[in-house]
Amino acid sequence: GWPPGPNRGPASVRPVRAPYSLSARGVHRFVVDYRARFGRSTVDHVVFSAHNAVVDVPRRGSGRSREWTYERGRFAPLGTYRRSRGAGTVDLLAIDLDAFAVNLGGAARRLRVPDPTSRYVVVGRNPVTKAAWIEFHLENEDGASGTLYTTLGGRVMDSSTADA
């Protein structure tokens, strides 16, 4: 809760949304809001960046997905497109958030990308195997970049780096 301050009583305390961030807590907040908005936990894929998320929501029975942006706890539509054949969905509830936090926190060291200035995370399906996975992408100002590939449970499957 919020500690009452001078001239503030319980009547003045309003719920405040925790701001979204690229973190396990931010992903948790997104999943809670996503389920409340769309009534499900499955997505075609979602991209988490520093200040927002972009999610592709499958439209039941239509063969189409609708893309939404998520910022400041709100969803706004971006557009609709035809889904890829056999792409499948990913259940966000299958993400191990503790492992997500460990992999996000350790990606810079593991990928040898010091002081990353750009980070984003994609939750989706491997285009070849169709297995659900998480891709942690990092890049720094010197041009070093890398991607860490994990299962939803956090097991590292592969990585790639490009040194400057």
Side-chain angles (χ1 to χ4, degrees), residues 26-88:
V27 170
H28 180 264
R29 172 84 262 150
F30 170 84
V31 173
V32 167
D33 289 348
Y34 180 84
R35 289 181 71 197
R37 171 65 176 85
F38 299 103
R40 65 178 105 172
S41 59
T42 55
V43 301
D44 279 344
H45 79 275
V46 59
V47 179
F48 297 104
S49 62
H51 303 290
N52 71 357
V54 176
V55 60
D56 291 337
V57 181
R59 297 180 76 180
R60 292 184 177 125
S62 73
R64 300 181 73 74
S65 279
R66 183 142 193 201
E67 190 171 62
W68 297 77
T69 185
Y70 174 79
E71 291 183 75
R72 297 182 185 100
R74 292 189 171 86
F75 289 91
L78 295 174
T80 303
Y81 65 93
R82 183 168 303 284
R83 296 178 71 204
S84 301
R85 286 182 183 239

Side-chain angles (χ1 to χ4, degrees), residues 90-111:
V90 176
D91 189 347
L92 297 174
L93 296 179
I95 297 172
D96 180 325
L97 291 176
D98 292 332
F100 182 96
V102 168
N103 286 325
L104 181 63
R109 179 186 44 75
R110 182 180 192 106
L111 298 170

Side-chain angles (χ1 to χ4, degrees), residues 88-148:
T89 59
V90 176
D91 189 347
L92 297 174
L93 296 179
I95 297 172
D96 180 325
L97 291 176
D98 292 332
F100 182 96
V102 168
N103 286 325
L104 181 63
R109 179 186 44 75
R110 182 180 192 106
L111 298 170
R112 298 181 311 278
V113 180
D115 305 316
T117 54
S118 173
R119 297 176 191 241
Y120 67 95
V121 176
V122 178
V123 177
R125 293 205 169 266
N126 177 305
V128 176
T129 68
K130 306 297 185 209
W133 69 353
I134 301 175
E135 306 168 40
F136 297 85
H137 300 272
L138 285 77
E139 186 172 349
N140 68 16
E141 287 184 2
D142 296 327
S145 64
T147 304
L148 181 67

